[in-house]
Amino acid sequence: MTDKYADPRDRAFIADDNARLSKDLDADYAALGTILQRRGLDIDAITNTVASFGVAIPSWGVGTGGTRFARFPGRGEPRHVFDKLEDCAVIHSLTGATPTVSLHLPWDYTEDMPALRQRATALGLGFDAVNSNTFQDRPGQPLSYKFGSLTHTDAAVRAQAIEHNIDCIRIGQLLGSKALTVWIGDGANFPGQQHLGRAFERYLESTAQIYAALPADWRMLIEHKMFEPAFYATVIQDWGSSLMAAQTLGPKAFCLVDLGHHAPNVNIEMIVSRLVHARRLGGFHFNDSKYGDDDLDTGCIDPYRLFLIFNELVDAQWRKAPDFQPAHMLDQSHNVTDPIESLMTSAIELQRAYAQALLVDRQALSDYQQGNDALMAAQTLKRAFTTDVQPILARARLQKGAAIDPVGAYRRSNYRNECANKRPSAQNFGGGIV
Ligand code: LRH
Ligand code: MN
């Protein structure tokens, strides 16, 4: 392994790195092609569909994350949103699967937003939903969000939070974004602390004003969460509250499903199916978890659950479900890995679940379901899930000029060392996810 630096966004570097691997890939791809052909499936068609899949990178995910106890910064941490864009471009050039970035305001605020858009365009990146933030106070902020924001009992605090969200829409328009994600931590830690009904009514009143400021071609994505930072009741605690709010606000309001925002063992694919039925599935924050909102790498704990979610998405596509256009985003906290490596492998885990879901024999499944042949129905899903689609994922990347072995190529580029040389090491060891 040389310690010479090579830009991992350089097509020639990637092509050179692929040269060693393409012969084996061709053999594996041909072998899988034969297996799928026996199942009546065209591997090239599936590869093209997988290659068209894109997921947005959370800007807050390219720096090392932490917990409330501590954050242990890594080497060459991004210092600001422009550094974050450079790192996002590395992820996209090596995976071909992450063409957009989801910003968080004010964490990513910069004076010159048009310059940020220009740099993103030069790097081949676009902007997905912008995320507002009324779950923290910032220096000089007149009114505190300690007891809530859009649902605070004080109308002045609500007005401040509404203004911030409308400001996020204005900034998003400068970036070419088409959606605002609203997650609030508003809630209570004690029974009795908050009137559960009035808090929800204040939420609807506040979000109606934000909704009114949405451009015609924008969406509002409402993100529910069971708990944290509130530990007794959260105003938008579950998909039911989120759906009620979306249906009350209007046709541009949709529900965003963050996988980590549910109690362990909740059937999230069922929630997805209901939101598809209600025509309000706005999108996802993909991650994985074992206990709470752990924000772990997608597919690292329960890849079968991820597959079952994509099975619902592919089924909705197959049934041509109306108003079905979910936005795919990652939302993770990388506390012990190189964030770039975690984001690359997470994007690939999404493509893996998608590819496996595309292998499901939907007619056979429907017939077994109709005939109540429970075992064969379950086996039909398992057969797709247990198919090693690695050659399809690598070929999809190769077709897009990306890397057959993204993590290997990234390490061989010495990009992290280069960043460590260029970017002074971060000194903030405090707690918190960013
Ligand atoms: C809340 C959340 C939300 C973001 C934040 C960074 O837990 O999932 O989507 O605003 O994480
Ligand atoms: Mn989220």
Side-chain angles (χ1 to χ4, degrees):
M1 180 84 102
T2 160
D3 55 9
K4 200 163 67 49
Y5 171 61
D7 187 340
R9 293 160 293 193
D10 173 5
R11 291 268 160 254
F13 165 78
I14 297 174
D16 182 46
D17 199 77
N18 286 342
R20 287 168 319 107
L21 304 164
S22 52
K23 200 159 143 305
D24 292 350
L25 173 56
D26 293 348
D28 297 348
Y29 190 77
L32 179 59
T34 308
I35 293 169
L36 296 184
Q37 195 174 32
R38 274 203 305 271
R39 299 183 196 176
L41 293 165
D42 168 7
I43 191 172
D44 292 334
I46 293 164
T47 301
N48 294 339
T49 306
V50 169
S52 69
F53 178 89
V55 62
I57 296 284
S59 61
W60 60 95
V62 286
T64 298
T67 70
R68 59 184 165 167
F69 301 106
R71 189 178 84 91
F72 303 94
R75 299 171 57 247
E77 293 274 338
R79 298 157 293 181
H80 43 62
V81 67
F82 286 90
D83 279 351
K84 293 178 183 179
L85 277 191
E86 303 300 319
D87 295 358
C88 290
V90 170
I91 297 165
H92 187 46
S93 73
L94 293 175
T95 65
T98 59
T100 52
V101 181
S102 185
L103 294 188
H104 218 299
L105 298 168
W107 292 340
D108 296 318
Y109 185 76
T110 179
E111 285 302 318
D112 192 347
M113 283 293 171
L116 185 68
R117 183 172 186 174
Q118 248 164 21
R119 182 60 188 151
T121 307
L123 290 167
L125 296 171
F127 291 100
D128 204 309
V130 286
N131 297 265
S132 61
N133 176 344
T134 59
F135 52 85
Q136 291 172 323
D137 290 346
R138 34 206 157 272
Q141 180 180 301
L143 301 166
S144 172
Y145 293 135
K146 178 171 182 173
F147 294 105
S149 60
L150 296 174
T151 75
H152 198 290
T153 53
D154 179 344
V157 177
R158 299 198 301 275
Q160 177 182 273
I162 293 164
E163 192 45 43
H164 165 66
N165 277 276
I166 293 174
D167 204 32
C168 290
I169 294 172
R170 183 184 59 73
I171 292 170
Q173 286 181 285
L174 293 174
L175 297 169
S177 178
K178 294 288 183 201
L180 170 71
T181 296
V182 181
W183 171 70
I184 58 170
D186 295 26
N189 280 2
F190 297 88
Q193 175 188 345
Q194 185 176 60
H195 188 286
L196 302 178
R198 284 202 290 272
F200 187 56
E201 281 151 22
R202 291 192 295 268
Y203 177 85
L204 294 176
E205 273 161 37
S206 297
T207 45
Q209 295 177 51
I210 300 168
Y211 186 92
L214 284 178
D217 59 351
W218 270 55
R219 290 178 157 198
M220 180 192 284
L221 304 177
I222 299 170
E223 184 176 1
H224 61 273
K225 182 174 183 178
M226 187 174 70
F227 76 101
E228 187 203 45
F231 293 102
Y232 165 66
T234 294
V235 178
I236 304 298
Q237 178 152 12
D238 55 23
W239 70 279
S241 307
S242 175
L243 182 58
M244 286 165 70
Q247 290 173 330
T248 304
L249 288 168
K252 290 187 281 187
F254 293 81
C255 307
L256 183 142
V257 179
D258 184 314
L259 274 54
H261 289 187
H262 306 87
N265 305 327
V266 161
N267 188 327
I268 298 178
E269 58 272 22
M270 167 71 90
I271 295 173
V272 170
S273 171
R274 292 291 173 275
L275 292 174
V276 168
H277 176 87
R279 306 182 184 195
R280 296 292 174 144
L281 179 64
F284 293 90
H285 276 179
F286 289 111
N287 46 56
D288 213 334
S289 52
K290 193 163 179 59
Y291 305 105
D293 187 20
D294 310 342
D295 282 338
L296 300 176
D297 291 10
T298 297
C300 74
I301 301 288
D302 190 347
Y304 195 54
R305 179 176 74 166
L306 188 64
F307 162 76
L308 292 174
I309 289 169
F310 272 83
N311 177 53
E312 290 302 323
L313 298 178
V314 171
D315 179 74
Q317 261 171 352
W318 187 65
R319 289 183 296 110
K320 298 189 174 35
D323 297 330
F324 177 73
Q325 219 186 344
H328 299 300
M329 289 164 275
L330 291 166
D331 180 1
Q332 300 174 180
S333 179
H334 311 108
N335 306 352
V336 294
T337 58
D338 182 319
I340 289 178
E341 295 184 353
S342 275
L343 288 163
M344 291 195 293
T345 48
S346 299
I348 293 166
E349 285 313 305
L350 288 174
Q351 288 186 317
R352 186 186 313 283
Y354 187 32
Q356 292 165 333
L358 289 167
L359 300 184
V360 173
D361 182 338
R362 299 216 164 263
Q363 192 51 56
L365 178 63
S366 177
D367 296 346
Y368 290 132
Q369 289 167 339
Q370 199 54 35
N372 296 308
D373 186 338
L375 182 108
M376 284 313 294
Q379 286 302 303
T380 305
L381 289 186
K382 264 299 176 64
R383 187 183 198 205
F385 176 69
T386 54
T387 304
D388 178 3
V389 294
Q390 187 60 28
I392 288 175
L393 307 180
R395 176 62 68 89
R397 291 192 293 275
L398 185 61
Q399 277 175 204
K400 302 184 81 168
I404 292 173
D405 173 14
V407 172
Y410 170 70
R411 292 187 176 189
R412 282 184 285 277
S413 77
N414 286 308
Y415 180 81
R416 183 55 69 191
N417 297 341
E418 181 70 7
C419 290
N421 301 337
K422 274 200 322 219
R423 301 169 182 173
S425 67
Q427 296 306 317
N428 54 347
F429 296 89
I433 61 167
V434 290

